[in-house]
Amino acid sequence: MENALKEFPDPIIALPVLPDTALESAATREALLLEIATLQKVLPQISDVVDAKAKALTEECSVLASIASHQAHLFRESAERVERIPYRDHTIPLDQFNTLFKDTFAHSIQQILMTSKLAMEMVFSLREATNQLYVLESFVTEIQSINKQTNLLALNATIEAMRAGEEGKGFTIVAEEVKGVSGVINQLSRSMHSKIGEISHSIREAFATLSKVATTDMTDNLLAQEKLEMMLNGLLTQSKQMNQTLSQQVERAESLSETLDEMKMEMDIQKPINSQIQQACMSLHQMQILLDASFNSSVHPLLPGDC
Amino acid sequence: MPAQLSFTENQAHLTLSGRFTYDEHEAFHNALTEMQRHEPRSVTVHLSGVEFMDSAGLGMLLLLRDRMPQTTGISLSNTQESVRKILQLTKLDSIFTLC
């Protein structure tokens, strides 16, 4: 704009010193006066056009500055938004989400490990219980074996007591008692054997159920952490890059807005073009008077108000 | 995959191979019972032949740690890349010495 204004001459111009020979020519004088008159007509028109254009340009600068400022605002908002994610009724920074995610996953992994350990602990405990049950079962079998012998001894004692006749009657009673006790022991050992069988069956069922739990491989769940962390890190990197790009756009839009504001201010403070042109018209008018005075022209001089 | 157990002085060496999963629990349990009986000062689990370890395998290693006295050092030697990865991921490398 400054350069454009400099294209116009300074309004207070020194009149050129024309050689007498040139001014003696009436034709030259007439031509000069005609040129001055033409300039006096054209210059105000140019002034109006330039002023109108300058005004329009100022308004456009103002609109553009406003748009650039709004864009900067939008870019800033977007830059802030890409670094946060919605969570319930508010948003949290992505960094915080990353930490939360990793902590949660680490906790889940520890729970998976703990579950696996407990499942295997139960498997081992059931195996140990089963082994103890086998020992118990062998004891019962031994008791039954001893009981059979006791029963046989009682039977033999009864036979021998009967052989002894009257003197063996006491032995018969003792043998009968022993037989009775042996019967009770036999009954008890049968019950124990039966119960051991039931417990063994329950353990086998529990073992089968537990096997299903223990054989459920959680390795994929454990490995999922690595995949998800990689994806999350990619997301964070992308978000940071986007934030950087948007921040650069904010800077550019703000710079553009400032430049446009400065241009507008510069155009506002410029001396209006038409006043400079008016001064140029006055200079032309003075030239016209001087020309008329020098050569006593009959041409009616134009007044400054005509410009 | 039978778990092979041997003892040298106060050290127990447990060698595993193939897939260390739930299917190996019986062999591992027997070895563990044997180690508890011997009370070695340290246990080295040789894993160079183990190509895969599932969560049950990890659970069994944790049980080994739990059932042996805290003073007994337990190290896992020559782990393959896939096994080492899962040990690191589950942070078991902070419980056992990887060598």
Side-chain angles (χ1 to χ4, degrees):
Chain A
M1 178 59 77
E2 200 177 333
N3 289 337
L5 290 172
K6 277 180 182 171
E7 286 173 13
F8 293 95
D10 196 311
I12 305 159
I13 51 169
L15 287 173
V17 180
L18 297 170
D20 290 347
T21 48
L23 295 173
E24 277 170 5
S25 162
T28 305
R29 187 190 61 132
E30 286 302 320
L32 275 171
L33 286 171
L34 192 63
E35 280 296 318
I36 288 168
T38 308
L39 278 171
Q40 281 177 320
K41 269 188 180 173
V42 170
L43 280 174
Q45 290 170 0
I46 293 171
S47 167
D48 289 345
V49 170
V50 169
D51 266 2
K53 292 278 181 195
K55 197 178 171 188
L57 203 59
T58 306
E59 279 171 11
E60 277 174 17
C61 278
S62 182
V63 170
L64 284 173
S66 168
I67 290 170
S69 175
H70 185 59
Q71 265 190 331
H73 175 69
L74 290 176
F75 282 139
R76 195 177 295 109
E77 268 189 356
S78 301
E80 284 167 10
R81 211 174 292 136
V82 294
E83 288 209 310
R84 301 181 74 85
I85 59 159
Y87 178 66
R88 292 182 178 161
D89 57 347
H90 62 290
T91 62
I92 56 167
L94 268 178
D95 287 344
Q96 194 182 326
F97 167 71
N98 189 25
T99 309
L100 188 70
F101 171 83
K102 283 179 179 168
D103 288 350
T104 307
F105 223 105
H107 183 63
S108 302
I109 283 179
Q110 290 311 309
Q111 283 186 323
I112 289 171
L113 279 181
M114 190 54 67
T115 307
S116 298
K117 191 182 88 169
L118 289 175
M120 292 316 298
E121 181 132 48
M122 286 180 74
V123 168
F124 285 8
S125 296
L126 283 177
R127 282 195 83 235
E128 284 156 11
T130 308
N131 288 341
Q132 294 301 320
L133 218 55
Y134 290 149
V135 173
L136 198 62
E137 198 169 26
S138 72
F139 286 164
V140 171
T141 307
E142 201 170 338
I143 288 169
Q144 283 178 330
S145 171
I146 291 168
N147 202 39
K148 271 183 188 170
Q149 285 179 3
T150 307
N151 204 23
L152 200 63
L153 281 173
L155 187 65
N156 287 338
T158 306
I159 293 165
E160 290 302 321
M162 282 174 75
R163 270 189 199 168
E166 192 63 31
E167 289 171 354
K169 272 188 178 175
F171 276 112
T172 307
I173 294 164
V174 173
E176 281 303 313
E177 287 295 321
V178 170
K179 205 177 167 185
V181 171
S182 173
V184 172
I185 290 171
N186 190 41
Q187 191 61 42
L188 271 174
S189 64
R190 278 175 189 275
S191 296
M192 280 176 73
H193 196 266
S194 171
K195 287 290 170 193
I196 287 170
E198 284 175 24
I199 293 169
S200 185
H201 178 70
S202 297
I203 286 178
R204 271 198 299 276
E205 280 188 345
F207 206 83
T209 308
L210 196 56
S211 296
K212 286 178 190 169
V213 177
T215 50
T216 305
D217 184 19
M218 304 294 281
T219 318
D220 285 344
N221 302 58
L222 298 175
L223 292 171
Q225 187 198 18
E226 192 185 30
K227 291 177 193 167
L228 287 170
E229 268 193 23
M230 279 170 74
M231 282 193 265
L232 189 61
N233 285 337
L235 194 68
L236 282 172
T237 308
Q238 198 177 34
S239 156
K240 278 182 184 160
Q241 284 171 347
M242 202 178 283
N243 178 272
Q244 270 183 342
T245 308
L246 286 167
S247 296
Q248 285 171 354
Q249 292 302 323
V250 169
E251 281 177 23
R252 283 175 193 161
E254 279 177 345
S255 169
L256 181 64
S257 174
E258 281 171 18
T259 308
L260 287 165
D261 278 337
E262 282 169 13
M263 281 171 69
K264 184 174 160 279
M265 279 176 68
E266 273 182 28
M267 280 190 276
D268 283 343
I269 60 170
Q270 283 293 333
K271 200 175 175 183
I273 282 295
N274 62 356
S275 85
Q276 293 190 34
I277 287 177
Q278 213 157 22
Q279 286 187 23
C281 283
M282 284 174 74
S283 297
L284 285 170
H285 179 65
Q286 281 178 349
M287 285 170 67
Q288 194 181 40
I289 291 167
L290 284 171
L291 274 170
D292 281 344
S294 300
F295 297 99
N296 195 21
S297 173
S298 60
V299 176
H300 179 72
L302 285 166
L303 296 171
D306 290 342
C307 279
Chain B
M1 178 214 68
Q4 291 181 343
L5 181 65
S6 62
F7 294 93
T8 55
E9 295 180 357
N10 288 320
Q11 277 197 324
H13 296 270
L14 177 63
T15 306
L16 305 171
S17 59
R19 294 170 64 85
F20 185 40
T21 62
Y22 175 79
D23 294 342
E24 314 312 322
H25 78 271
E26 201 171 328
F28 189 86
H29 184 220
N30 291 339
L32 178 57
T33 309
E34 199 64 13
M35 281 190 279
Q36 281 178 289
R37 207 164 58 80
H38 273 78
E39 295 182 354
R41 276 190 198 162
S42 65
V43 175
T44 303
V45 184
H46 299 273
L47 292 169
S48 60
V50 175
E51 63 209 29
F52 175 76
M53 186 186 292
D54 70 354
S55 47
L58 295 169
M60 284 190 268
L61 286 180
L62 284 172
L63 268 187
L64 169 67
R65 177 64 280 174
D66 276 10
R67 291 201 174 188
M68 296 304 286
Q70 283 304 305
T71 49
T72 307
I74 302 176
S75 55
L76 310 177
S77 83
N78 297 319
T79 50
Q80 289 188 23
E81 184 58 35
S82 59
V83 174
R84 182 175 285 262
K85 190 174 168 182
I86 203 154
L87 290 171
Q88 287 168 339
L89 198 68
T90 51
K91 304 215 173 358
L92 290 195
D93 56 342
S94 63
I95 296 173
F96 300 101
T97 308
L98 298 189
C99 55

